[in-house]
Amino acid sequence: IEAILAYINAVVLENTHLAHSYVPNADDYITMRRKTAGIEPCLVLLELGMDIPDSAINDPVVVELYTLAADMVTLSNVSNFTP
């Protein structure tokens, strides 16, 4: 549920930016795109049926791996829109 809510909130933020012709700086854009790309909800689905303790999911190394996975998809997706 948390991953879906984060996705929805990011999509609302992205659309608010678009509606107001606001262009965020690169760091803010990448942070927002990590969420709007929908990677986190997909990764959470992979965990279904697995009995993974919260301590493992919240481990800083695992959190960083999730972030890097999201960045890989997000940045490759963004590159498709460049001329």
Side-chain angles (χ1 to χ4, degrees):
I1 302 261
E2 292 172 19
I4 297 294
L5 289 176
Y7 168 76
I8 291 169
N9 288 331
V11 169
V12 169
L13 177 63
E14 183 177 46
N15 282 291
T16 300
H17 288 172
L18 289 170
H20 293 94
S21 299
Y22 173 74
V23 178
N25 65 42
D27 289 335
D28 289 343
Y29 178 77
I30 290 171
T31 299
M32 180 181 62
R33 279 296 293 150
R34 279 185 191 127
K35 303 283 187 213
T36 60
I39 304 307
E40 189 175 357
C42 291
L43 292 173
V44 170
L45 288 175
L46 294 174
E47 299 167 13
L48 289 178
M50 297 182 193
D51 191 21
I52 304 172
D54 286 343
S55 60
I57 295 297
N58 296 321
D59 183 276
V61 173
V62 174
V63 171
E64 181 68 12
L65 287 170
Y66 271 54
T67 300
L68 292 172
D71 285 351
M72 287 176 60
V73 172
T74 298
L75 295 175
S76 66
N77 188 355
V78 169
S79 69
N80 291 334
F81 296 106
T82 57

